[in-house]
Amino acid sequence: MPNYIDLWNNIKNSFEKDDSMSKASFGAWVDTAEPISLENHVMKIKVLSNLHRDYWTKHLTEKFVEYAYQFADQDITPEFVTEDEFEAQKSNQAQSGSKEPEFSTEDTQLNGRYTFDTFVIGSGNQMAHAAAMAVSDEPGVLYNPLFFYGGVGLGKTHLMHAIGHQLLENDPKTRVKYVTSEAFTNDFINSIQKNKTEEFHEKYRNVDLLLVDDVQFFADKEATQEEFFHTFEALYNAQKQIVLTSDRLPNEIPKLQERLVSRFKWGLSIDITPPNLETRIAILREKAQADNVEIPDETLEYIANRIDSNIRELEGAMARIQAYAKLQNSAITTDLAADALRSLNFGSNLSHITIPMIQDKVAKYFHVSVADIKGKKRMKSIVIPRQIAMYLSRELTDNSLPKIGTEFGGKDHTTVIHSFDKIKSELENDEELARQVGDLKSELKP
Ligand SMILES: Nc1ncnc2c1ncn2[C@@H]1O[C@H](COP(=O)(O)OP(=O)(O)OP(=O)(O)O)[C@@H](O)[C@H]1O
């Protein structure tokens, strides 16, 4: 999830630049609103009064969702709280001594929601879950490091946080640290700039459990890799548990030092694959219970059939349906769910795109044959379209890397990763390529 304050500022800017909104309107409705939190795809926003809430709901919500998607690349719905309600909630909390349960605790950075209790076990994740439980029982002994890999939104971060929570429950004195590889990198750079490398070492080496998310972002970052190597060694030698996640296996991360690759493989690497229908239904049921909303079984099944990609999308769909039901002030039924997903074109944007469709479009666009796209010819005029087609297949479909390889004439999945990485990095500098990929994307998802 993006930082909600940055996200809100971006959304606010978009409203300000929107020609259809007068300066006075902007000042009255948008500028007076304030973000409070972002959790579970819902941004809580404080507004001045009921009148403001009504105006937002009727006139600005649709745009909000659209702008939020542009910046966060995910579906986020607003929930409005008036100043009075907000103050009342605050004083209730103060009286009962309760805290918002969902916020990360400052030191560990763990998300309170990502526990074993809220994790639904099913196809695709049961091995990973079992390994996570085993590591929680005997940290630093059995599988060190534990390495989860797999596609986006499938529960890698959730599981690693669950290990953190479990260790803290077993012993509240356990020093747990969660960090994304990007945050680790930034922290390291800052520590050099501010001459505080000693402090940096302390922070990451004096822990019992280190959780590092998305280590594929260490790719190409030589100095950070060097630093992480020493962090890893210090923890490993002290038998402290390390858990890592990535979207691919260690040896598939480009330009990752060999000694890191080999260390990442010392313990256990487990992939998490997309959930089947039954698991998706179970996850939706669990979310409905957690949110305390009634949703009929047939509606849960409808949603699970509709959204068959990843769990983050499932959660997004659920959040939208709940927000839609609130706006309509009605119960959640299959019809309402269908409306909510249809009105926002949700879930239908990508799931209909298939690899053969992509191959066909790319072949036509570059005036080559589909057989060439799938074949082995090494001419530049064919290799580039082939790599673009693989890139789009990874980006626009939920097929696994091996499946994409198979659909491209039985290529190895490392070839797919290589093509994807190459096009992704060239897109940043090559305007012509960016235009071509943009054209193809808009043809594929009009
Ligand atoms: N098995 C599960 N049961 C319940 N919720 C789940 C499960 N798997 C994932 N989720 C939820 O789906 C959302 C996405 O999961 P998570 O962030 O852990 O994915 P990820 O694999 O780390 O993705 P990324 O690679 O994009 O970081 C989270 O809100 C998480 O709680």
Side-chain angles (χ1 to χ4, degrees), residues 1 39-41 111 113-116 118-123 125 149-161 178 213-214 216 245-247 272 275 279 282-284 286-287 310-315:
M1 276 278 164
E39 193 64 45
N40 218 358
H41 298 266
N111 182 323
R113 208 165 50 84
Y114 294 173
T115 61
F116 281 123
T118 56
F119 190 83
V120 176
I121 308 161
S123 67
N125 67 27
Y149 67 99
V152 295
L154 294 180
K156 301 183 293 296
T157 306
H158 188 137
L159 261 189
M160 81 177 344
H161 281 223
Y178 165 81
D213 215 350
D214 291 328
Q216 73 271 14
T245 76
S246 166
D247 67 350
I272 302 191
T279 313
I283 289 171
L284 286 170
E286 148 79 29
K287 304 278 170 212
N310 67 53
I311 300 166
R312 188 172 292 125
E313 290 247 327
L314 265 188
E315 287 188 341

Side-chain angles (χ1 to χ4, degrees), residues 157-219:
T157 306
H158 188 137
L159 261 189
M160 81 177 344
H161 281 223
I163 298 173
H165 286 300
Q166 190 60 48
L167 289 196
L168 281 168
E169 196 179 313
N170 297 349
D171 177 1
K173 289 199 283 306
T174 313
R175 294 160 306 168
V176 176
K177 178 108 199 111
Y178 165 81
V179 67
T180 62
S181 62
E182 279 171 315
F184 182 91
T185 306
N186 291 336
D187 218 7
F188 175 53
I189 295 170
N190 279 337
S191 77
I192 297 174
Q193 280 169 348
K194 295 186 181 142
N195 244 336
K196 288 189 171 168
T197 44
E198 261 322 298
E199 233 171 75
F200 177 86
H201 292 160
E202 290 269 307
K203 185 166 159 190
Y204 289 101
R205 296 181 196 181
N206 279 341
V207 299
D208 301 306
L209 170 66
L210 181 65
L211 311 167
V212 187
D213 215 350
D214 291 328
V215 294
Q216 73 271 14
F217 291 116
F218 281 149

Side-chain angles (χ1 to χ4, degrees), residues 61-164:
T61 294
E62 217 168 287
K63 281 216 163 132
F64 174 97
V65 173
E66 189 187 313
Y67 293 148
Y69 195 89
Q70 276 170 21
F71 295 108
D73 211 19
Q74 52 189 279
D75 297 290
I76 290 168
T77 40
E79 186 181 305
F80 304 104
V81 193
T82 63
E83 293 243 32
D84 291 349
E85 287 164 350
F86 183 66
E87 289 310 318
Q89 274 174 18
K90 256 199 345 207
S91 73
N92 276 347
Q93 270 177 17
Q95 272 168 23
S96 64
S98 74
K99 278 195 191 143
E100 268 277 356
E102 310 231 330
F103 287 133
S104 332
T105 56
E106 189 46 37
D107 289 336
T108 63
Q109 300 287 334
L110 293 182
N111 182 323
R113 208 165 50 84
Y114 294 173
T115 61
F116 281 123
D117 283 348
T118 56
F119 190 83
V120 176
I121 308 161
S123 67
N125 67 27
Q126 68 217 116
M127 290 294 292
H129 175 264
M133 295 285 277
V135 157
S136 306
D137 281 346
E138 285 188 87
V141 180
L142 275 176
Y143 309 123
N144 208 11
L146 178 59
F147 191 101
F148 293 130
Y149 67 99
V152 295
L154 294 180
K156 301 183 293 296
T157 306
H158 188 137
L159 261 189
M160 81 177 344
H161 281 223
I163 298 173

Side-chain angles (χ1 to χ4, degrees), residues 402-422:
K403 169 90 172 118
I404 298 176
T406 310
E407 296 260 357
F408 280 79
K411 297 200 173 48
D412 193 77
H413 72 287
T414 50
T415 310
V416 183
I417 286 204
H418 170 75
S419 303
F420 178 82
D421 288 342
K422 182 159 174 287

Side-chain angles (χ1 to χ4, degrees), residues 308 347-359 361 389 392-399 440-446:
D308 58 1
S348 59
N349 50 347
L350 297 186
S351 51
H352 69 284
I353 302 177
T354 61
I355 297 175
M357 269 165 73
I358 293 174
Q359 290 169 334
K361 276 265 184 283
L392 290 171
S393 299
R394 175 130 200 247
E395 204 169 86
L396 301 181
T397 78
D398 293 305
N399 289 288
L440 283 161
K441 272 191 181 170
S442 42
E443 278 188 32
L444 283 158
K445 33 175 205 178

